[in-house]
Amino acid sequence: AVASSDVVYRGRIITVRRDVVHMPGGGTSQRDVIVHPGAVGVVALDDDGNVLLVNQYRHPVARRLDEVPAGLLDVDGESFLQAAQRELVEEAGLAAGTWQVLIDSLTSPGMTDEAIRLFLARDVRPVERDMQEHEEAEMTSCWLPLEEAVRRALAGELENAMACVGVLAAAEAARRGFAGLRPADAPWPARANSRVAPAGA
């Protein structure tokens, strides 16, 4: 149980909350929690089994990384699927005819409630998109055989967590003939039950 909860920092994207929690053996302990809006990512596969990777500069690690198209859940009233569809258009200029939930993940539950949902997008086609800006303006993209993306992940050459989880899950899904994947509108309990910063803080 939570004895007390206070916001100690509120940024543009994250909030840091200090919780004091009751411990099972008695007493209390402080837990610093990064509150995150959540994110979606897209593993896009073409008809030849290639996966789309985008490359962009990431300031916290001071270098460019290969990733899958992804973005924050930061548009009011937008469904998880709509957010993924929007990101695929904005970052890659693509739309897809087939969408399924690929995998859900909690990125680092020891310190943050950040949850990510990766969608599998197939039957892709190019579409027009608005002019790119901010990070997207210098973003590049390439198609890579899924097997090569898996090799790169296992070799430490593909480091972005969402990309690693995505390509490994996609490879297994492909091996199974994409059977058993959840529909694109499947419930996402991690987001339904996520805690927010205390009201009025």
Side-chain angles (χ1 to χ4, degrees):
V2 178
S4 66
S5 185
D6 301 289
V7 170
V8 296
Y9 171 77
R10 191 182 300 276
R12 186 177 70 85
I13 296 173
I14 66 165
T15 297
V16 178
R17 193 183 68 228
R18 178 178 297 126
D19 292 350
V20 176
V21 298
H22 294 288
M23 302 303 290
T28 60
S29 181
Q30 179 179 311
R31 296 289 185 267
D32 296 331
V33 180
I34 298 173
V35 181
H36 190 279
V40 291
V42 183
V43 178
L45 297 181
D46 68 11
D47 294 340
D48 297 319
N50 298 307
V51 63
L52 177 73
L53 294 180
V54 297
N55 181 280
Q56 66 176 315
Y57 180 79
R58 290 299 192 181
H59 174 71
V61 295
R63 54 198 170 93
R64 298 182 67 91
L65 296 176
D66 287 327
E67 307 178 349
V68 294
L72 297 171
L73 295 170
D74 57 359
V75 176
D76 289 339
E78 189 176 58
S79 71
F80 307 134
L81 175 59
Q82 288 170 334
Q85 292 170 330
R86 173 176 53 80
E87 291 296 341
L88 186 59
V89 171
E90 290 178 356
E91 296 193 358
L94 294 173
T98 302
W99 289 85
Q100 294 166 292
V101 172
L102 180 60
I103 199 165
D104 296 331
S105 179
L106 298 172
T107 59
S108 187
M111 68 173 185
T112 180
D113 68 349
E114 180 184 16
I116 60 172
R117 166 162 282 188
L118 279 154
F119 289 88
L120 181 67
R122 292 179 291 154
D123 303 318
V124 297
R125 65 186 187 279
V127 293
E128 290 187 10
R129 57 178 164 174
D130 295 332
M131 184 175 294
Q132 294 172 294
E133 56 183 12
H134 305 304
E135 296 93 340
E136 295 169 0
E138 296 184 349
M139 185 179 292
T140 60
S141 64
C142 69
W143 290 95
L144 195 67
L146 184 56
E147 297 81 2
E148 172 62 12
V150 170
R151 185 203 67 77
R152 290 185 58 193
L154 297 178
E157 299 168 11
L158 186 63
E159 299 176 89
N160 175 274
M162 189 182 286
C164 289
V165 169
V167 300
L168 294 172
E172 176 61 15
R175 189 186 69 80
R176 297 183 180 199
F178 304 109
L181 293 180
R182 288 167 288 165
D185 61 352
W188 189 4
R191 289 298 303 154
N193 300 325
S194 63
R195 290 188 61 204
V196 298

